Amino acid sequence: MEHPENNEEYKGLTVNSGVAQPSIVNPYLQRGRFARRRLTAADYVEGIVKGNVTILGQAVTLVESTHPEHQAIAQEVIEKCLPYSGNSIRVGISGVPGAGKSTSIDEFGIHVLERTGGKLAVLAIDPSSEKTKGSILGDKTRMEKLSVHPYSFIRPSPSAGSLGGVARKTRETIILCEAAGFDKIFVETVGVGQSETACHSMVDFFLVIQLAGTGDELQGIKRGIMEMADGIVINKCDGENVDACHLAARQFQNALHLFPMPESGWLPKVLCYSGFYGLGIKEIWDMVYEYIDFVKVNGYFEHRRAEQAKYWMYESINEQLRNGFYNHPTIAALLPGAERSVLEGQKTSFVAAKNLLDSYFNLLK
Ligand code: GDP
């Protein structure tokens, strides 16, 4: 398909609405009436619901901001977008670095866009970004075909804050993307512990990319991936690696039988593919769509989303309590002394924690 940016008719327009809007290439570009004044929450919502990806990108930036004023607008925008959200298929894609996530997502994305039309947003949860302050996952340059596709929106992982904070922002971004008409959402994450749990808690289908012959067959079982995965796919099933991949697939399939039947009533499948050569991609998406049909009929689809909403309510409470506590200036001033007294053995961790919490709750009175 010709990219609309190369097409004179489309120059400077987004493709999904008749309204003249800035190019999707630079999501931060401001033009037109929105550039003349600061946007209100209503402006953001209007722009998002019309499918304006520039406004969407700006709203996501607000969601990611830690500035209280930005957060206040962001929360209002999210709330107003909620009624327009939910109408999508959310797929989590996890794998260790080098498993082939970006190569695969590029192929998967093009496949689902050609297969079902619509629009695709690729988001990410990257715990490493906490340390490096920069995120790699979801980087546009890693997805060559999708990055120039007119119906895709790629957003790297939010980089600031705790994993809980990063994950919450990704979840809120899902709502905004859905309100903007994105009916397919991929959430990419690195296959290491906590971030997978966070990703799992916001998607309808959790796809785990594995490699053959790395010992991951057993590690995966240990780490509880088997309980989370709705599908396990063995990548790089090409060249001399084909036999090893099929062997790994059998090992995973056997291991799956050791676990109780998932609540969804769906026994996860194990498939081999090659993201690089584009082999076996259709079968993976046949599986995903089969699952979605299955759980929509048996009611698990809605149940899982409701449970996720509940989970995020508690996560949100935890995050706000934690932030309120640590960001309180009096507490921040007391913390180094408390830390010292624990390190020097003058107080137990429990007593030091209790003293600090008592001080905090007294301050709130
Ligand atoms: P990520 O770190 O999980 O995003 O992995 P990448 O997509 O960057 O891929 C890591 C490396 O594996 C790159 O050198 C890819 O070219 C290679 N790779 C990815 N998919 C395949 C595949 O299906 N077959 C083979 N042989 N190599 C692949």
Side-chain angles (χ1 to χ4, degrees):
M1 184 199 307
E2 189 191 13
H3 188 265
E5 290 299 317
N6 303 328
N7 179 333
E8 279 304 318
E9 271 184 38
Y10 280 111
K11 274 227 159 44
L13 304 179
T14 53
V15 286
N16 55 322
S17 85
V19 185
Q21 292 165 354
S23 155
I24 62 167
V25 170
N26 178 356
Y28 303 102
L29 201 64
Q30 291 202 5
R31 266 189 232 149
R33 73 184 172 95
F34 287 122
R36 285 192 287 275
R37 59 186 169 81
R38 284 178 71 180
L39 301 190
T40 64
D43 292 332
Y44 281 111
V45 176
E46 186 193 331
I48 289 169
V49 172
K50 279 186 177 158
N52 181 327
V53 286
T54 305
I55 302 290
L56 172 64
Q58 291 169 349
V60 174
T61 303
L62 279 188
V63 166
E64 292 174 355
S65 168
T66 47
H67 195 290
E69 206 178 302
H70 295 165
Q71 269 303 307
I73 303 181
Q75 289 311 317
E76 196 180 336
V77 173
I78 292 162
E79 209 169 302
K80 295 203 164 107
C81 281
L82 261 179
Y84 303 97
S85 74
N87 197 16
S88 75
I89 291 173
R90 306 167 184 166
V91 180
I93 300 169
S94 144
V96 294
K101 290 181 296 301
S102 50
T103 314
S104 304
I105 289 174
D106 213 24
E107 288 295 321
F108 293 166
I110 296 296
H111 175 83
V112 294
L113 284 166
E114 283 177 358
R115 180 168 176 155
T116 60
K119 299 197 289 180
L120 167 71
V122 181
L123 312 176
I125 301 175
D126 181 4
S128 63
S129 59
E130 264 180 69
K131 286 178 206 128
T132 58
K133 297 288 172 217
S135 66
I136 303 167
L137 294 189
D139 185 346
K140 288 181 201 208
T141 54
R142 294 164 67 242
M143 297 162 199
E144 284 176 21
K145 294 183 212 161
L146 277 184
S147 63
V148 293
H149 195 287
Y151 300 117
S152 83
F153 175 80
I154 303 174
R155 186 81 185 189
S157 173
S159 59
S162 61
L163 171 62
V166 168
R168 174 182 58 76
K169 289 168 190 175
T170 304
R171 188 166 192 272
E172 291 175 348
T173 301
I174 292 179
I175 294 167
L176 301 187
C177 289
E178 289 176 351
F182 287 83
D183 61 338
K184 287 169 263 296
I185 313 276
F186 289 176
V187 182
E188 178 185 12
T189 196
V190 178
V192 282
Q194 290 288 301
S195 61
E196 283 186 318
T197 312
C199 179
H200 178 259
S201 67
M202 64 180 82
V203 297
D204 305 313
F205 189 98
F206 193 65
L207 187 69
V208 176
I209 301 179
Q210 293 279 2
L211 296 175
T214 56
D216 270 6
E217 296 87 332
L218 294 174
Q219 279 172 31
I221 298 165
K222 224 169 32 196
R223 289 201 312 250
I225 283 181
M226 310 295 273
E227 283 127 308
M228 273 197 276
D230 300 300
I232 294 173
V233 286
I234 321 276
N235 190 20
K236 310 197 185 183
C237 186
D238 46 53
E240 293 178 355
N241 207 21
V242 171
D243 288 344
C245 286
H246 287 134
L247 177 65
R250 277 198 298 279
Q251 287 170 334
F252 274 112
Q253 196 76 68
N254 289 339
L256 279 168
H257 289 292
L258 303 175
F259 290 87
M261 190 67 174
E263 204 188 340
S264 58
W266 165 270
L267 184 67
K269 291 189 179 179
V270 185
L271 300 172
C272 294
Y273 79 109
S274 167
F276 190 81
Y277 293 100
L279 304 169
I281 309 291
K282 179 182 175 295
E283 288 72 10
I284 292 176
W285 291 91
D286 286 348
M287 165 178 71
V288 175
Y289 286 113
E290 192 191 328
Y291 170 89
I292 298 291
D293 287 344
F294 179 76
V295 292
K296 279 199 168 165
V297 169
N298 75 6
Y300 183 76
F301 185 88
E302 284 307 322
H303 171 75
R304 179 161 167 170
R305 283 204 173 177
E307 284 294 316
Q308 290 174 338
K310 188 176 86 181
Y311 171 89
W312 283 100
M313 182 188 83
Y314 285 108
E315 280 297 299
S316 182
I317 291 172
N318 293 344
E319 196 200 350
Q320 285 181 46
L321 284 176
R322 198 180 305 117
N323 287 347
F325 176 79
Y326 285 110
N327 294 338
H328 196 291
T330 309
I331 298 299
L334 289 173
L335 274 172
E339 232 180 63
R340 249 193 330 273
S341 62
V342 170
L343 285 172
E344 291 167 5
Q346 289 148 3
K347 276 186 193 169
T348 66
S349 327
F350 179 77
V351 168
K354 183 164 184 332
N355 291 349
L356 284 166
L357 286 167
D358 286 347
S359 308
Y360 179 60
F361 290 121
N362 277 330
L363 285 162
L364 296 184
K365 276 182 189 159

